[in-house]
Amino acid sequence: MADRLTFDSVDCGDVLPEVKQENTQELTWKHAVASLDYNPVHTHPEWCKTAQVFGLPVPVMHGNQTMSLMCKVITDWAYPVGGRMKRIEIKLIKPVPVGSTCTYGGAVTEKHPLGKGEDFVTVEVWAKNQDGEQVGIGTAQVRLPK
Amino acid sequence: MGYLEEMAKYQKTEKQKSFSADFLEAEQVEDYEFWDEIEIGKETEVPIKFEVKAEDMIAYAEGVPDNSPLFYDEEYAKKCGHDGLVAHPLFGTQVAFYVLRKGHGSWLRTPGARNPGQVIEWYDPIRVGDVLTIKQKGYDKWIKRGKYYMRYLQETYDQNGTLKGRAYGTLILPRTREDVLKFVKGEHALEA
Amino acid sequence: MDYLEEMAKYQKTEKEKEFGSDFLKTQEVEDYEFWDEIEIGKETETEVPIKFEVKAEDMMAYAEGVPDDNPLFYDEEYAKKCGHDGLVAHPLFGTQVLFFVLRKGHGSWLRTPGSRNPGQVMEWYDPIRVGDVLSLKQRGYDKWIKRGKYYMRYLAEVYDQNGTLKCRLFTTLILPKTRADVLRFVKGEHALEA
């Protein structure tokens, strides 16, 4: 399916393959190194016990890591055919404590046939924790080849 | 082993190794801009540039973690219709943290900051060899349900002046220097 | 008395009287731009040739039609006492301006029989004042299909005679897709879904 994905082949309602990722403190540390976001709320378990930025005594995943994994749903789907991100708007609904396992997914909701190489689709993306609670929702605009 | 040493194990790229991972040094907080001081409408060009190497892009994808070969294998990326190695969509996070170390724009590294969600627009792919510059301005600040929010508009340009991406970054911040210093000491100081 | 005559009773201002209130004339539909033809992008920006010279009666007539009897919209002295620099235009007064100047071609979407209003975004930059001569620039901003309906969004900017930006409207509409669909609506048939 992936190699035949085009703007024309997509329909509203198409569901994108989900991504599942278990998170650990080690992975959060790795993400801090990758993003250079060393904020102690993600990296420093001792500090989190008292600072409780989110009211939790434990580190939480980087919001941008959650967003990165929501993007993975799009890049896994569209980038192998030359697709491109155009815009994303994400709301992070609740903190994700380190140690959570989240699932990320999306579905096509809109088609924008603008022509001139500007065609794009809108994908509603979401992230859920292991209890099925939404931790992030968003809307991504994705350019797809004709 | 302390948390800084734990992370030091994963620092591979030149930039990762040169960047200071300790966000709790009271001294550097002195150079921050605090919520109650933020000027809205002021635009600044951040003096530090980011020269993009393949290792930087690859390191970000590894830290997602995302093992799609698009982010590691230039030939594969070209076969898929891209013009070179692909930067993960949120690679700009690394760029922003790398260049925004103090003053106007340091908000994102403030101890106690929270990320309530973001808006990002992509205009042109980031490529290996690009030299990136960030322009940014305070866009809005507000109090909602007793919390102090701010939004900044950040634009990334390459060495040719091409707009690469635009991010409306939103943060919940401690209100004052004093509140940030409480967080530095591990005390909670977010609500009004 | 038919519906057009019913409404004619309330037409008071010069512009209200002059304006053609029958949106179902097949002939004028011929000059519209239909969803499947709409071009999107910066290069589609056009300045609408008709200008809108703002009279106090126009502003008052809009407020009356809301209806909103706040004296801010009728009493210049009262408005000044409240800290405004003259008679206040109701925030949505731009609606009258748009319908007055957008009669055909690129921009006629808002008067298309069968169009629906799913909600709007407006930004205000400078007050509209009596004596302003308003012109409208606009361009197709986006169009899309969602849940089987045809949406479009255009960006309309209102400027005064000094080139000051008064307001910006990101106007979103659900439209019939084609000329044929609009002509069905003109005849009173439903033709909105794909």
Side-chain angles (χ1 to χ4, degrees), chain B residues 4-182:
Chain B
L4 293 172
E5 283 125 50
E6 286 282 359
M7 290 188 288
K9 293 191 295 190
Y10 309 118
Q11 290 158 358
K12 287 192 285 189
T13 72
E14 197 186 322
K15 292 188 187 70
Q16 285 172 344
K17 287 177 186 163
S18 74
F19 188 80
S20 166
D22 186 358
F23 280 25
L24 288 179
E25 283 173 339
E27 201 178 311
Q28 71 184 357
V29 169
E30 288 302 308
D31 291 326
Y32 287 3
E33 191 176 66
F34 304 97
W35 187 90
D36 59 347
E37 301 165 348
I38 295 169
E39 279 185 56
I40 298 302
K42 181 173 104 178
E43 186 173 78
T44 52
E45 186 172 316
V46 183
I48 302 174
K49 314 272 182 219
F50 189 108
E51 194 183 328
V52 181
K53 296 184 179 172
E55 65 170 17
D56 301 323
M57 282 161 52
I58 291 169
Y60 188 81
E62 280 176 355
V64 168
D66 190 330
N67 61 10
S68 167
L70 288 163
F71 307 126
Y72 304 90
D73 180 345
E74 186 178 343
E75 290 314 308
Y76 175 78
K78 284 182 176 168
K79 270 186 212 142
C80 293
H82 302 273
D83 59 6
L85 197 63
V86 175
H88 183 281
L90 261 72
F91 175 64
T93 310
Q94 186 187 115
V95 179
F97 273 92
Y98 186 76
V99 305
L100 293 167
R101 302 185 192 181
K102 58 185 185 175
H104 199 71
S106 54
W107 317 298
L108 78 172
R109 48 183 289 145
T110 307
R114 290 194 203 176
N115 177 349
Q118 308 298 331
V119 176
I120 303 170
E121 297 169 350
W122 291 266
Y123 292 90
D124 190 64
I126 290 177
R127 300 178 180 90
V128 172
D130 280 348
V131 181
L132 303 176
T133 307
I134 286 185
K135 279 189 196 165
Q136 64 170 11
K137 61 172 170 176
Y139 188 78
D140 196 1
K141 65 178 183 179
W142 67 96
I143 302 154
K144 183 175 170 181
R145 297 195 202 107
K147 294 194 179 58
Y148 298 90
Y149 286 76
M150 73 108 29
R151 179 169 295 151
Y152 55 95
L153 171 59
Q154 187 179 78
E155 291 177 330
T156 303
Y157 293 88
D158 69 10
Q159 63 284 3
N160 305 312
T162 303
L163 178 64
K164 313 298 270 185
R166 185 178 274 148
Y168 295 86
T170 306
L171 293 170
I172 300 171
L173 290 175
R175 187 168 76 97
T176 63
R177 174 187 306 261
E178 199 185 3
D179 291 339
V180 174
L181 287 170
K182 282 172 71 182

Side-chain angles (χ1 to χ4, degrees), chain A residues 21 26-41 43-45 47 49-55 61-65 67-69 71-72 75-76 78-93 141 143, chain B residues 3 6-7 10-11 15-16 19-21 23-24 59-60 63-68 70-71 76 80-82 86-90 93-94 97-98 108-122 125 183-188 190:
Chain A
Q21 179 66 50
E26 185 187 1
L27 279 176
T28 294
W29 280 332
K30 286 182 177 174
H31 188 75
V33 173
S35 64
L36 304 177
D37 182 353
Y38 289 103
N39 198 305
V41 71
T43 60
H44 195 334
W47 184 84
K49 282 182 186 169
T50 53
Q52 302 204 2
V53 174
F54 290 92
M61 276 176 75
H62 294 82
N64 274 37
Q65 186 176 12
M67 288 169 52
S68 289
L69 287 161
C71 282
K72 181 167 169 56
T75 54
D76 280 354
Y79 276 42
V81 297
R84 277 279 170 203
M85 300 294 303
K86 175 176 161 68
R87 185 178 201 271
I88 199 161
E89 182 160 354
I90 286 177
K91 185 170 184 185
L92 296 171
I93 299 166
Q141 296 180 345
R143 291 179 202 277
Chain B
Y3 77 107
E6 286 282 359
M7 290 188 288
Y10 309 118
Q11 290 158 358
K15 292 188 187 70
Q16 285 172 344
F19 188 80
S20 166
F23 280 25
L24 288 179
Y60 188 81
V64 168
D66 190 330
N67 61 10
S68 167
L70 288 163
F71 307 126
Y76 175 78
C80 293
H82 302 273
V86 175
H88 183 281
L90 261 72
T93 310
Q94 186 187 115
F97 273 92
Y98 186 76
L108 78 172
R109 48 183 289 145
T110 307
R114 290 194 203 176
N115 177 349
Q118 308 298 331
V119 176
I120 303 170
E121 297 169 350
W122 291 266
F183 267 117
V184 166
K185 286 186 280 180
E187 296 166 25
H188 185 89
L190 206 51

Side-chain angles (χ1 to χ4, degrees), chain A residues 12 109-114 116 120 124 141, chain C residues 35 39-40 43-44 142-147:
Chain A
C12 293
T109 53
E110 299 173 10
K111 286 186 76 173
H112 296 240
L114 307 193
K116 295 173 277 191
F120 68 91
E124 300 293 336
Q141 296 180 345
Chain C
W35 187 91
E39 286 191 39
I40 301 298
E43 65 281 5
T44 70
D142 194 1
K143 68 175 182 179
W144 67 97
I145 305 153
K146 183 177 175 177
R147 297 197 202 103

Side-chain angles (χ1 to χ4, degrees), chain C residues 74-164:
Chain C
Y74 305 92
D75 181 343
E76 186 177 344
E77 290 315 309
Y78 174 78
K80 284 183 176 168
K81 269 185 212 144
C82 295
H84 302 273
D85 59 5
L87 197 64
V88 175
H90 185 279
L92 262 73
F93 175 64
T95 311
Q96 187 186 115
V97 179
L98 259 62
F99 273 94
F100 186 76
V101 305
L102 292 169
R103 302 185 192 184
K104 57 185 185 175
H106 200 69
S108 53
W109 315 299
L110 78 172
R111 49 183 289 144
T112 306
S115 70
R116 290 193 203 174
N117 177 350
Q120 307 300 332
V121 176
M122 299 178 189
E123 298 169 348
W124 291 267
Y125 293 88
D126 191 66
I128 291 176
R129 299 177 180 90
V130 172
D132 280 346
V133 181
L134 303 176
S135 50
L136 187 74
K137 277 189 196 165
Q138 63 168 12
R139 62 179 159 110
Y141 189 79
D142 194 1
K143 68 175 182 179
W144 67 97
I145 305 153
K146 183 177 175 177
R147 297 197 202 103
K149 295 194 177 56
Y150 298 89
Y151 287 76
M152 74 107 32
R153 178 170 297 152
Y154 60 97
L155 170 58
E157 292 177 330
V158 178
Y159 292 87
D160 69 11
Q161 63 283 3
N162 305 313
T164 303

